């Protein structure tokens, strides 16, 4: 496990390219493109103003930069660095921008959601779509990029339009049965469009491509409803998280509930492995200590397995404020469709991991600090998480792991993203970033500033920054070892 040196970035604008070859980061008005293996700068582009948004095209040949304050979008080419494009929305303003799946069209949304504009980089043509609705997720592309679904608001009613992404012609337009549509999302097989209502009403509608309503689902009434929603990669399940601290899983045949997953205060099951992070106490750093020596005073942590029953730490939400921190606000399936994680907002330090094959809880991670970001490996059943500290945490069916990022000074991880092939993790701080290479190669080893090597010897003593247990799980191991040593170069 190799860690790179720290690089500057602004407002957490860092992204791997979809093909995994490049890493883009924004620093004020500059866009920096690095090679993922060596982390050497390949391209340096200067924009007209501070960058507020970046996004790669699906084929990794172009990257756009959004400057919302000035209503501008600048597009840069990786293969032909001298080529560039500027899109100016003018007085209409700019509130959002995204690529189409073909990577040759850009969709911009004007201020106040007055219109959506489709810009072609090939023919230089411009098309306008009226009445877009301002909601959590008002635009979604089908897997494969054939169709685009758009939420609209006309005559005080919700409507849905489906467009062809090849010709940008209207395929189907129909009225939605929602009171106040909050979002829409295609199933991974692009056969079903899921639409859900605002948090004031628990209502989920499932439409076919031709606009027929296949099913309606509502778990309860007269209470705060849906908070998050996600499809399984196989399209077999639809998981709906709500403010009542439960996740309901619907099947794709009858659209009925096959399981209701709760988040109790006490875990009492022999089938569940509970990992609790424990930190060692260290003295405070002296005032005159050098910046490079501050890491010596950081608390060390490791995971320990608690015996059930286990009391889960909870926080009391402020119910008199808007959007209370209550209910399941984050959930996602693993790429293999075998596992799902959930995070209950009034249990901010706890991560729940479910086995989808038996529709039951299999592991719980209790962190010392609130969880800030969680992400599944896109290729294997393992996940990484961070808690705004200098540590990276990982879980797999074979165990869990806590690793301190061996860098000089202070670097707290606020967000993280996986490499498309699962070979590295991008660790993002407030104004810096670091790359963790999980599969060391000659190239990234030479690029790494600090190294944390996973040792595979059986007689080595476990380092106190790692912990693993339950090695006899039926799934294959994806954490290479339970022993971790730090070697600072």
């Amino acid at each position: 496990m190799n860690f790179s040196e720290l690089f500057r970035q602004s407002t957490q604008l860092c992204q791997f390219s979809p093909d995994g070859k490049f890493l883009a980061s924004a620093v004020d008005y500059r866009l920096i493109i690095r090679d993922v293996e060596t982390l050497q700068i390949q391209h340096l582009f200067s924009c007209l103003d501070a960058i507020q948004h970046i996004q790669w095209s699906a084929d990794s040949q172009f990257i756009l930069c959004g400057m919302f304050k000035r209503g501008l979008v600048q597009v840069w080419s990786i293969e032909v660095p001298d080529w560039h494009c500027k899109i100016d929305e003018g007085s209409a303003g700019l509130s959002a921008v995204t690529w189409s799946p073909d990577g040759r069209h850009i969709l911009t949304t004007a201020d106040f959601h007055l219109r959506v504009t489709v810009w072609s980089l090939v023919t230089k043509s411009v098309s306008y779509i009226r009445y877009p609705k301002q909601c959590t997720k008002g635009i979604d592309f089908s897997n494969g990029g054939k169709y685009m679904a758009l939420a609209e608001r006309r005559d005080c009613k919700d409507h849905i339009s489906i467009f062809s992404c090849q010709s940008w012609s209207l395929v189907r337009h129909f009225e939605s049965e929602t009171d106040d549509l909050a979002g829409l999302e295609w199933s991974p097989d692009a056969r079903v469009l899921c639409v859900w209502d605002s948090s004031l009403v628990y209502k989920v509608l499932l439409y076919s491509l031709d606009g027929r309503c296949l099913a309606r689902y509502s778990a309860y009434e007269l209470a705060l409803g849906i908070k998050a929603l996600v499809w399984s990669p196989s399209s077999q399940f639809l998981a709906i998280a709500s403010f009542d601290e439960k996740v309901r899983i619907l099947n794709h045949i009858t659209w009925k509930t096959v399981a209701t997953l709760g988040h109790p205060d006490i875990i009492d099951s022999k089938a569940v492995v509970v990992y609790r992070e424990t930190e060692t106490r260290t003295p405070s750093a002296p005032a005159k200590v050098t910046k490079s020596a501050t890491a010596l005073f950081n608390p060390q942590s490791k995971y320990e397995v608690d015996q059930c029953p286990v009391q889960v730490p909870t926080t009391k939400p402020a119910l008199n404020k808007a959007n209370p921190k209550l209910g399941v606000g984050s959930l996602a399936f693993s790429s293999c469709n075998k596992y799902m994680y959930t995070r209950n907002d009034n249990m901010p330090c706890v991560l729940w991991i479910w086995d989808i094959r038996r529709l039951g809880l299999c592991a719980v991670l209790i962190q010392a600090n609130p969880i800030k970001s969680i992400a599944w490996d896109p290729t294997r059943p393992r996940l990484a998480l961070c808690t705004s500290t200098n540590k990276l945490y990982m879980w797999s069916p074979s165990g869990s792991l806590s690793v301190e990022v061996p860098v000089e000074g202070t670097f707290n991880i606020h967000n993280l993203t996986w490499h498309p092939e699962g070979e590295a993790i991008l660790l993002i701080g407030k104004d810096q970033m670091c790359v963790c290479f999980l599969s060391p190669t000659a190239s990234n080893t030479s690029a790494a500033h600090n190294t944390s090597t996973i040792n595979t010897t059986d007689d080595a003593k476990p380092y106190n920054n790692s912990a693993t247990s339950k090695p006899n799980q039926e799934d294959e191991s994806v954490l290479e070892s339970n022993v971790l040593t730090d070697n600072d170069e």
Side-chain angles (χ1 to χ4, degrees):
M1 185 180 288
N2 294 339
F3 290 87
S4 73
E5 62 180 299
L6 298 179
F7 299 101
R8 285 188 60 200
Q9 51 85 15
S10 300
T11 60
Q12 300 187 9
L13 294 177
C14 319
Q15 281 186 13
F16 286 116
S17 61
D19 62 4
K21 295 181 180 180
F22 301 102
L23 171 62
S25 61
V27 181
D28 298 328
Y29 63 89
R30 294 185 299 273
L31 177 67
I32 302 172
I33 309 296
R34 299 179 185 272
D35 181 89
V36 167
E37 281 290 326
T38 64
L39 296 180
Q40 297 297 313
I41 296 177
Q42 303 296 308
H43 305 286
L44 179 62
F45 303 111
S46 295
C47 295
L48 297 173
D49 205 342
I51 302 171
Q52 296 176 273
H53 176 75
I54 64 172
Q55 185 182 4
W56 287 94
S57 62
D59 57 6
S60 302
Q61 293 186 19
F62 300 93
I63 185 170
L64 64 79
C65 301
M67 290 148 281
F68 301 134
K69 292 181 180 179
R70 294 186 57 173
L72 292 176
V73 178
Q74 287 187 268
V75 187
W76 307 96
S77 171
I78 304 302
E79 293 186 350
V80 187
D82 293 335
W83 182 95
H84 67 277
C85 170
K86 184 179 76 170
I87 297 173
D88 190 348
E89 274 284 8
S91 59
L94 180 68
S95 63
V97 58
T98 187
W99 283 101
S100 67
D102 64 359
R104 298 298 179 269
H105 295 81
I106 294 175
L107 282 72
T108 59
T109 304
D111 282 342
F112 308 108
H113 281 66
L114 296 177
R115 70 187 185 199
V116 172
T117 309
V118 183
W119 308 79
S120 173
L121 300 183
V122 179
T123 63
K124 299 182 181 180
S125 61
V126 179
S127 304
Y128 298 97
I129 303 175
R130 297 185 298 171
Y131 312 117
K133 180 173 182 178
Q134 185 173 4
C135 55
T136 305
K137 189 174 183 180
I139 296 178
D140 193 39
F141 297 97
S142 63
N143 193 14
K146 190 174 182 180
Y147 299 108
M148 180 189 78
L150 176 69
E152 300 178 355
R153 187 74 174 178
R154 302 187 183 190
D155 301 325
C156 300
K157 293 183 179 179
D158 292 329
H159 295 259
I160 297 173
S161 292
I162 298 177
F163 295 87
S164 168
C165 292
Q166 283 74 36
S167 60
W168 296 104
S169 58
L170 183 65
V171 176
R172 184 69 63 179
H173 175 81
F174 54 92
E175 184 178 337
S176 172
E177 297 180 17
T178 52
D179 297 325
D180 183 12
L181 189 150
L184 45 80
E185 184 172 340
W186 289 100
S187 62
D189 60 8
R191 295 183 177 181
V192 179
L193 180 66
C194 177
V195 178
W196 62 96
D197 219 315
S198 70
S199 58
L200 298 177
V201 181
Y202 196 120
K203 183 187 292 185
V204 176
L205 302 166
L206 298 148
Y207 290 98
S208 63
L209 182 61
D210 59 4
R212 290 181 295 112
C213 186
L214 303 175
R216 302 170 182 84
Y217 179 76
S218 177
Y220 53 81
E221 297 179 351
L222 305 178
L224 290 177
I226 298 168
K227 194 165 187 179
L229 182 148
V230 66
W231 287 95
S232 67
S234 64
S235 302
Q236 292 177 300
F237 300 111
L238 177 64
I240 307 170
S242 50
F243 281 89
D244 66 346
E245 304 181 44
K246 295 181 181 179
V247 175
R248 294 167 176 85
I249 300 180
L250 310 184
N251 72 82
H252 73 298
I253 299 175
T254 63
W255 303 111
K256 301 295 183 182
T257 306
V258 295
T260 300
L261 310 178
H263 298 75
D265 295 339
I266 298 177
I267 302 172
D268 190 7
S269 173
K270 295 181 180 180
V272 180
V273 183
V274 180
Y275 301 96
R276 184 185 296 272
E277 181 191 6
T278 59
E279 293 185 334
T280 59
R281 293 185 178 182
T282 57
S284 301
K288 296 182 179 180
V289 72
T290 61
K291 187 176 181 180
S292 60
T294 55
L296 299 174
F297 298 91
N298 291 331
Q300 307 296 315
S301 73
K302 64 178 180 179
Y303 279 115
E304 293 182 352
V305 178
D306 282 3
Q307 300 298 322
C308 292
V310 176
Q311 179 74 36
V312 177
T314 61
T315 59
K316 188 176 181 180
L319 299 178
N320 58 342
K321 295 182 180 180
N323 300 316
K325 292 185 178 181
L326 173 70
V328 182
S330 176
L331 74 166
F333 286 90
S334 62
S335 59
C336 64
N337 211 61
K338 295 180 181 179
Y339 300 96
M340 179 182 71
Y341 79 73
T342 59
R343 178 185 177 275
N344 193 5
D345 287 350
N346 51 302
M347 299 175 179
C349 299
V350 184
L351 183 68
W352 307 72
I353 302 172
W354 308 84
D355 189 334
I356 299 302
R357 292 165 295 183
R358 60 183 181 88
L359 294 174
L361 188 64
C362 67
V364 174
L365 274 64
I366 302 177
Q367 303 296 132
N369 299 284
I371 300 170
K372 296 299 181 182
S373 180
I374 316 159
W376 284 105
D377 184 331
T379 60
R380 286 180 279 183
R382 63 178 176 182
L383 60 78
L385 64 145
C386 62
T387 60
S388 289
T389 63
N390 64 334
K391 298 175 183 65
L392 169 67
Y393 306 94
M394 297 183 68
W395 175 90
S396 80
S398 63
S400 57
L401 182 70
S402 169
V403 183
E404 182 177 341
V405 181
V407 296
E408 295 183 356
T410 302
F411 176 66
N412 294 328
I413 310 169
H414 298 300
N415 197 3
L416 53 84
T417 57
W418 281 88
H419 185 271
E421 297 176 1
E423 298 176 352
I425 306 175
L426 178 61
L427 311 178
I428 306 172
K430 183 179 179 180
D431 53 12
Q432 293 176 311
M433 67 176 184
C434 171
V435 180
C436 171
F437 297 100
L438 301 178
S439 302
T441 64
S443 298
N444 62 45
T445 299
S446 62
H449 178 69
N450 294 293
T451 306
S452 181
T453 307
I454 292 183
N455 195 334
T456 56
T457 56
D458 295 330
D459 56 350
K461 292 183 179 180
Y463 180 65
N464 67 349
N465 253 23
S466 68
T468 182
S469 67
K470 204 73 175 178
N472 56 347
Q473 287 272 3
E474 59 180 348
D475 295 273
E476 67 279 3
S477 172
V478 293
L479 291 177
E480 299 178 18
S481 170
N482 67 333
V483 180
L484 183 73
T485 59
D486 284 346
N487 301 318
D488 293 331
E489 294 184 345

